[in-house]
Amino acid sequence: MYLRSNSGSRERFRWVIATIALPALLWSFSAQADNLPKLPKFPSLPTLPKLPPLPHNLQIHGFASQSWLMSSGNNNFFGKSSSDSGSFDFRELGLNASMRPLTRLQFSAQMLSRTAGEGSPGNVRLDFGFMDYRYFSGESSQLGIRLGRMKTPLGFYNDTRDVPFTRPSILLPQSIYFDRTRKLALAADGVHLYGEYRSDLGDISFQAGVVRPLVRGAEAEAAVFGGQFPGHLAPEISYTGRVNYDLDGGRIRFAVSASQLNIRYIPGASDVLQGGSIHFIPLIFSAQYNAERWSLTSEYALRRLQYNNFGVMPNLDFYGESYYFQGAYRFTPEWEGIVRYDVLLTDKDDPHGKKWAAAQPGRAGLAHTRFAKDITVGLRWNITPEFMLRAEYHRVNGTAWLSTLDNPNTGNLSQHWDLFSILGSYRF
């Protein structure tokens, strides 16, 4: 008891001394400071201008994905995928922004860098950028117009195929959404009219445009001619449109898409080709059923292709055919599996390419370049809302959707081949 009392007395004594001595000490320092010589003043730093705050209605998002691919045989897909170690040459980086300065006016744009073989070397380019003016907006309907570079409204997935999170698989069905002719069908510059009407019987929406397709670059020339020529392709006025019908909040979906892409060829010096024209006219029918845990999707395309007035090349007018059946099952909110059967026929009247190969000197063994039948099995894991992993296996019969830029020697291609891929993607 004595020790505790003595200790408490000492603590109280220290507090009293501190209470009296601290103000006195501070006053002493202040008095001495008045007698010290004045230090020279340093010049004040210039005041930096304040950056204006970002508009409150500006939204910025982005994504980044990296893939690894390995293919059997001498089939290079998005790079040297046929090597012993596979290829990490498939990656996608995107940054998009949208702003609505007025209730009816919105600006949207996305910059994209895509590395995927010779056709996509990773350069940064404008993926889309347009002005959207909503002329009318009511409780059950709306009508508007868009001007600029816009995604071509083809099928269910062409509008959003760049973002890995919005694709049903690492690779979209190549029979409908060609990656070897991606730039040609992906987007175009022009004007679109769009509208929507909602009712108890379902929702109907449409989009129709007058555009100029993007045809510059080696990828488009290789897709059109199968190789490179001294001249170049030039766009002409083209047309595109799609009508969607959704029932019960998207439980049942139907769509019909059609386009007419018109391209002319400008011959180069010492060119064997004359200035001809190309018309690509796809018609796509799409259907989807969505339940709580599973979804069924199928699309069918009839593609008319015309080549006219190329001189040494005969005029051509034929129809290609494509279709796929796809099923997806959601085991949990984080895990999803997918199975798909995908068929591409370059000429529906020559489904196995035998007539074409017989008519081409030295190409008797290349009939498999005119078709492709793909069985796909895939798995998706949503680790977080921002991060996703995917794995996918393809068993392919035929090489019709392989790029001739990555595989210039088509004689070395294997008709039956496998492709395995893994993708990691992050979004913000």
Side-chain angles (χ1 to χ4, degrees):
M1 293 295 294
Y2 173 79
L3 292 176
R4 291 193 188 97
S5 177
N6 189 33
S7 175
S9 299
R10 287 198 298 268
E11 290 297 328
R12 286 193 295 272
F13 177 75
R14 290 173 183 170
W15 275 105
V16 171
I17 294 298
T19 304
I20 298 174
L22 185 59
L25 188 61
L26 292 176
W27 176 86
S28 173
F29 285 160
S30 177
Q32 294 179 18
D34 291 339
N35 299 323
L36 293 175
K38 302 295 184 182
L39 295 175
K41 291 185 178 181
F42 290 96
S44 59
L45 295 175
T47 304
L48 296 177
K50 291 184 178 180
L51 295 176
L54 293 176
H56 70 280
N57 57 1
L58 174 65
Q59 296 187 17
I60 299 177
H61 301 282
F63 60 89
S65 71
Q66 175 65 57
S67 300
W68 173 82
L69 300 99
M70 174 178 281
S71 61
S72 64
N74 189 30
N75 303 311
N76 294 322
F77 192 80
F78 293 168
K80 303 296 182 180
S81 60
S82 58
S83 65
D84 294 337
S85 58
S87 169
F88 286 94
D89 293 337
F90 179 32
R91 68 186 62 90
E92 299 163 295
L93 305 171
L95 184 66
N96 60 71
S98 63
M99 184 176 68
R100 190 180 294 275
L102 301 173
T103 303
R104 296 185 177 183
L105 181 65
Q106 178 173 315
F107 295 95
S108 302
Q110 177 167 286
M111 302 301 295
L112 182 71
S113 171
R114 187 172 187 267
T115 303
E118 296 292 331
S120 299
N123 54 307
V124 179
R125 62 178 183 83
L126 178 66
D127 189 33
F128 64 80
F130 59 88
M131 176 193 72
D132 183 335
Y133 180 73
R134 192 178 304 169
Y135 176 76
F136 170 79
S137 180
E139 292 184 0
S140 61
S141 60
Q142 64 175 354
L143 183 66
I145 188 171
R146 296 184 180 125
L147 179 65
R149 175 169 297 179
M150 292 154 290
K151 293 297 185 66
T152 304
L154 288 175
F156 281 146
Y157 302 115
N158 200 59
D159 307 51
T160 58
R161 64 187 293 179
D162 282 328
V163 183
F165 279 83
T166 61
R167 298 196 297 256
S169 51
I170 297 176
L171 301 180
L172 283 173
Q174 293 297 297
S175 67
I176 306 289
Y177 307 97
F178 301 112
D179 275 307
R180 64 183 178 89
T181 59
R182 182 177 176 278
K183 294 177 183 176
L184 182 62
L186 180 65
D189 299 331
V191 57
H192 283 197
L193 182 69
Y194 70 90
E196 182 181 8
Y197 178 74
R198 300 177 295 275
S199 70
D200 294 337
L201 300 178
D203 303 336
I204 297 178
S205 61
F206 78 92
Q207 189 172 343
V210 179
V211 299
R212 288 168 60 89
L214 306 177
V215 298
R216 291 286 185 176
E219 179 189 273
E221 293 182 22
V224 170
F225 296 120
Q228 303 296 304
F229 286 88
H232 66 271
L233 300 174
E236 292 189 329
I237 296 300
S238 302
Y239 310 94
T240 185
R242 182 182 59 199
V243 177
N244 292 74
Y245 173 73
D246 290 5
L247 180 64
D248 194 15
R251 183 173 60 89
I252 299 176
R253 302 177 63 203
F254 294 103
V256 178
S257 316
S259 290
Q260 179 175 327
L261 301 182
N262 302 316
I263 308 168
R264 58 191 172 92
Y265 178 70
I266 308 299
S270 303
D271 205 329
V272 297
L273 296 180
Q274 297 179 6
S277 62
I278 304 163
H279 306 284
F280 179 54
I281 310 170
L283 176 64
I284 303 175
F285 299 92
S286 309
Q288 186 176 76
Y289 180 83
N290 293 298
E292 181 180 357
R293 285 185 172 269
W294 52 273
S295 299
L296 296 176
T297 308
S298 181
E299 294 188 277
Y300 172 84
L302 196 63
R303 307 178 312 277
R304 185 179 185 182
L305 194 58
Q306 296 176 307
Y307 292 80
N308 298 315
N309 305 319
F310 282 95
V312 297
M313 180 188 297
N315 292 344
L316 299 174
D317 188 350
F318 60 94
Y319 287 84
E321 188 177 41
S322 301
Y323 58 89
Y324 72 87
F325 302 98
Q326 175 181 285
Y329 186 80
R330 291 169 286 278
F331 303 98
T332 69
E334 294 80 24
W335 289 91
E336 179 182 270
I338 185 172
V339 177
R340 182 169 63 227
Y341 179 63
D342 187 24
V343 175
L344 164 63
L345 306 177
T346 301
D347 186 348
K348 72 180 188 66
D349 295 327
D350 184 20
H352 299 101
K354 294 181 179 180
K355 297 179 182 178
W356 174 87
Q360 305 291 322
R363 297 188 177 184
L366 298 181
H368 59 78
T369 63
R370 304 286 286 179
F371 68 89
K373 300 176 182 179
D374 174 21
I375 298 175
T376 302
V377 179
L379 189 64
R380 170 174 174 162
W381 180 23
N382 296 318
I383 301 176
T384 69
E386 296 81 21
F387 187 64
M388 172 190 67
L389 285 178
R390 266 192 167 127
E392 200 165 285
Y393 169 73
H394 298 256
R395 176 60 177 171
V396 190
N397 174 16
T399 59
W401 43 265
L402 288 177
S403 169
T404 56
L405 290 177
D406 293 326
N407 301 273
N409 190 355
T410 55
N412 291 337
L413 296 178
S414 302
Q415 177 178 340
H416 299 275
W417 55 288
D418 304 277
L419 176 67
F420 183 72
S421 57
I422 298 175
L423 174 143
S425 184
Y426 174 78
R427 64 180 175 182
F428 62 90

